[in-house]
Amino acid sequence: MAAVLHAETFLANLALFRELTVEQRARIAGSTRQLRVARGDVLFHRGDPAAGMYVIVFGQIKLSFVSSTGVEKVVEILDQGQSFGEAVMFLDLPHVVTAQALADGLLLFVPKETVFEGIDQDPVFARRLLGGLSRRLHQLIADVESYSTRSGTERVIGFLLRDCAAAEMPEGAGSVDIQLPVAKGIIASRLNLTQEHFSRILHDLTSLGLIEVKGRRIHVRDLDRLRKHAS
């Protein structure tokens, strides 16, 4: 019973499930399975059947696939409160990516039958699911545009300022310390760069006096200068 109560409490704090009735949320929570994962665990491989969706309670999940040349391409890095697996579940297709844990974590697995029942009972829930899928599609399109029109340096600076610094930047800050959320090789793949190219860009930005790199910690000396360099 404690596991169901825990799942219901967590779901109640997520935008996707927040506006469901208590009864609807309890029904979904009662059908979920809690999955404890260790770093490196694979939840599913590309080509596996899709039986439901996943919600991250804590931890990090990498969605990726391996190209015909054997190179891994990271599609998304997901964190607490985010969900995945919905799109192929609706299409009744096998997974098109592999999902692997980047850190120890806890997930909730929601069977597709439960999701479909929630959609039938509540249009708000359906709209929120569609909204989440639309945001993901919008981000993927933005990624394709970035790969096609922006240099590697612009992509790296954009990632540092948008995905890292924004969460850590105090009001009116001129400099900021950024902790990279995952290994540099994973970030490089996410930005459609080789690890060597990514490292070379960091080295060039360091040589220009824009940043300092110590492992995963990056000190941005002057945010305005870094922004201007990207533009």
Side-chain angles (χ1 to χ4, degrees):
M1 186 65 176
V4 173
L5 290 175
H6 173 79
E8 186 176 351
T9 301
F10 178 75
L11 294 177
N13 289 300
L14 296 181
L16 179 59
F17 303 94
R18 191 177 297 141
E19 293 189 24
L20 297 180
T21 66
V22 173
E23 292 77 15
Q24 289 170 333
R25 226 171 16 240
R27 190 158 44 247
I28 291 176
S31 70
T32 63
R33 285 192 291 118
Q34 296 188 35
L35 304 175
R36 292 195 175 274
V37 295
R39 180 181 178 182
D41 284 354
V42 173
L43 287 151
F44 52 78
H45 290 92
R46 181 174 184 172
D48 288 347
M53 61 180 286
Y54 298 79
V55 182
I56 304 173
V57 180
F58 65 85
Q60 278 186 323
I61 300 296
K62 175 184 69 176
L63 303 183
S64 65
F65 63 87
V66 177
S67 70
S68 58
T69 59
V71 177
E72 182 186 57
K73 167 58 184 162
V74 177
V75 178
E76 276 190 293
I77 301 168
L78 303 172
D79 295 293
Q80 178 179 344
Q82 293 184 280
S83 60
F84 59 98
E86 305 96 320
V88 290
M89 175 186 71
F90 287 122
L91 294 172
D92 199 25
L93 292 173
H95 288 292
V96 295
V97 294
T98 294
Q100 184 178 29
L102 294 176
D104 296 349
L106 176 65
L107 311 177
L108 295 179
F109 173 75
V110 187
K112 65 180 180 181
E113 295 81 10
T114 302
V115 178
F116 292 163
E117 182 181 334
I119 290 173
D120 290 338
Q121 292 182 351
D122 194 312
V124 172
F125 181 61
R127 286 198 298 270
R128 288 187 178 276
L129 275 174
L130 287 171
L133 291 172
S134 298
R135 281 191 297 274
R136 187 163 296 166
L137 176 60
H138 185 270
Q139 182 58 53
L140 289 173
I141 292 173
D143 288 345
V144 172
E145 179 185 12
S146 174
Y147 304 154
S148 304
T149 62
R150 297 181 183 176
S151 69
T153 298
E154 289 171 330
R155 277 176 258 163
V156 171
I157 293 176
F159 173 80
L160 293 176
L161 295 178
R162 182 188 67 245
D163 296 346
C164 297
E168 306 176 29
M169 199 183 304
E171 189 71 25
S175 64
V176 67
D177 285 324
I178 296 170
Q179 186 71 23
L180 296 180
V182 292
K184 293 174 184 174
I186 294 174
I187 295 172
S189 178
R190 179 73 180 82
L191 298 175
N192 206 34
L193 301 168
T194 65
Q195 188 166 352
E196 293 76 15
H197 191 185
F198 181 72
S199 296
R200 189 163 61 249
I201 291 169
L202 292 181
H203 180 268
D204 290 344
L205 295 176
T206 300
S207 298
L208 291 170
L210 296 171
I211 64 172
E212 296 175 8
V213 182
K214 291 184 179 179
R216 285 195 188 179
R217 189 183 71 82
I218 295 180
H219 176 68
V220 179
R221 292 182 169 183
D222 189 314
L223 289 165
D224 286 338
R225 282 188 63 208
L226 189 62
R227 291 190 189 98
K228 290 174 181 176
H229 187 74
S231 60

